[in-house]
Amino acid sequence: ARELLEALMAVEQKLGRERSEKNAPRTLDLDLLLFGDQIFDEHDLQIPHPRMHERFFVLWPLLQIDSRARDPRTGEPFADAYAKLKK
């Protein structure tokens, strides 16, 4: 996971991503959301992504790939999180 994160950050840098302030608008943002069913809790690497269950634009494509996907941390189906967002 660490190696993949570093590769994603290298792509962002190569394509001109600027990291000004946290959560600032950006033209490119590559996030590592899941890594199988593994859990990582490091200061710069949190998997599953801590806010993915709050984001429609993350959950919709994930559920198209695997409608039975579950949060490795809680076991909650991502479909349940998606349903909550639709309300």
Side-chain angles (χ1 to χ4, degrees):
R2 169 72 51 200
E3 189 176 321
L4 179 55
L5 177 64
E6 290 171 2
L8 292 172
M9 293 177 74
V11 169
E12 287 183 344
Q13 184 176 14
K14 181 177 180 181
L15 295 176
R17 160 99 189 248
E18 294 181 13
R19 293 181 176 270
S20 55
E21 59 186 72
K22 189 172 184 171
N23 296 321
R26 49 204 170 259
T27 57
L28 177 64
D29 185 26
L30 300 176
D31 287 325
L32 182 50
L33 304 171
L34 295 168
F35 199 78
D37 61 356
Q38 295 183 46
I39 297 171
F40 295 85
D41 278 316
E42 301 171 16
H43 77 282
D44 62 342
L45 178 62
Q46 296 180 332
I47 301 174
H49 189 285
R51 290 174 303 285
M52 68 182 286
H53 66 281
E54 302 169 354
R55 297 177 172 165
F56 177 85
F57 66 90
V58 170
L59 295 177
W60 172 251
L62 171 62
L63 293 171
Q64 299 307 300
I65 295 167
D66 183 358
S67 63
R68 298 175 306 181
R70 293 179 172 271
D71 186 325
R73 192 178 304 282
T74 65
E76 178 183 7
F78 284 115
D80 291 357
Y82 176 79
K84 290 175 190 172
L85 291 177
K86 288 184 65 176
K87 293 181 181 179

